[in-house]
Amino acid sequence: MARVRLNVAERREELLRAAVAQIEARGVAAVRISDVAAELGVSNALVLYHFSTKEKLLAEAFAYAAESDLAHLRKLLGRRTSATRRLRAAVRWYAPTGQAKGWRLWIEGWAAALREPTLREVAGALDQQWKAELTAVIAEGATAGEFPCPDPAAAAWRLTAFLDGLAVQMTSYAGSLSRAAMLEWADQALARELGLTDGFDGPVQVAGHGS
């Protein structure tokens, strides 16, 4: 059967999806251009035509995958409800026992970024976007008098650092803590950063991707 001819944008997206699959299967360091090409049944030259180097392909694949979770974070934080409820839903989704898809990929990216300047630049920019989204909503809630957080940017940094650390532990050593314990810790960390000494009242619904 003849392959359907794709336009440039469609071909690039197809190659990025294949690269993400290969990163998840092999790890960043082990992925080769030929692995991505073989998955799609195309030539190495075609992959290099679109991305020129392996480093650029992997950096763009990482950004492509991470942007999906970033878009969902924005969706949660953009709901028409209180800042407190939006932040709690986002943190519970972002937590390593939540429904964010990218933890293994993020950890691979962090490790590779130590040696790959292109990937380090992409990962750093995405990380700053995560922090900026959280900072904006924390600042909104503090201004509205929902909670007494004096430094929203610092709170966002500490909160994401805490969740990132938990993600490394939970992804590397699966089953070391229960989902219930993890979500309780995530709630406690958020309440502490917001200055809510009495914690939260009642459960919060966390919508998954596509909802």
Side-chain angles (χ1 to χ4, degrees):
M1 180 182 295
R3 289 183 59 82
V4 176
R5 186 175 181 84
L6 304 177
N7 64 36
V8 172
E10 291 170 336
R11 176 64 78 188
R12 283 177 64 85
E13 185 169 355
E14 183 185 53
L15 291 168
L16 290 172
R17 287 198 303 267
V20 170
Q22 288 298 313
I23 291 170
E24 291 176 338
R26 302 171 184 269
V28 172
V31 173
R32 301 169 299 176
I33 290 290
S34 58
D35 297 323
V36 177
E39 177 159 321
L40 295 175
V42 300
S43 67
N44 291 2
L46 178 65
V47 180
L48 290 170
Y49 170 78
H50 285 279
F51 297 99
S52 74
T53 67
K54 170 188 167 180
E55 289 72 27
K56 288 183 180 179
L57 169 64
L58 296 182
E60 290 199 39
F62 177 79
Y64 173 78
E67 283 286 356
S68 174
D69 276 343
L70 182 57
H72 192 72
L73 176 73
R74 288 171 174 150
K75 180 180 177 181
L76 290 174
L77 293 178
R79 288 175 170 175
R80 301 183 67 175
T81 185
S82 69
T84 304
R85 288 184 63 83
R86 282 178 278 153
L87 287 164
R88 192 181 179 202
V91 164
R92 283 178 150 239
W93 168 79
Y94 181 76
T97 55
Q99 297 175 21
K101 295 179 179 178
W103 279 119
R104 184 174 297 278
L105 194 71
W106 269 107
I107 292 169
E108 284 282 353
W110 288 333
L114 294 173
R115 296 177 177 83
E116 295 289 348
T118 302
L119 187 56
R120 182 163 59 248
E121 182 178 349
V122 169
L126 288 164
D127 183 66
Q128 289 299 315
Q129 290 181 62
W130 280 88
K131 290 179 172 65
E133 295 291 337
L134 290 172
T135 297
V137 180
I138 294 172
E140 178 187 336
T143 299
E146 290 186 36
F147 41 76
C149 180
D151 191 340
W157 271 77
R158 287 190 297 265
L159 186 60
T160 53
F162 172 76
L163 294 173
D164 289 347
L166 286 182
V168 172
Q169 290 290 317
M170 293 298 291
T171 303
S172 301
Y173 312 111
S176 53
L177 284 173
S178 70
R179 173 182 169 82
M182 270 311 206
L183 292 179
E184 182 181 357
W185 287 13
D187 271 353
Q188 290 171 351
L190 177 60
R192 183 167 56 248
E193 292 299 342
L194 299 183
L196 298 174
T197 56
D198 294 330
F200 300 102
D201 295 324
V204 63
Q205 182 177 357
V206 181
H209 288 272
S211 61

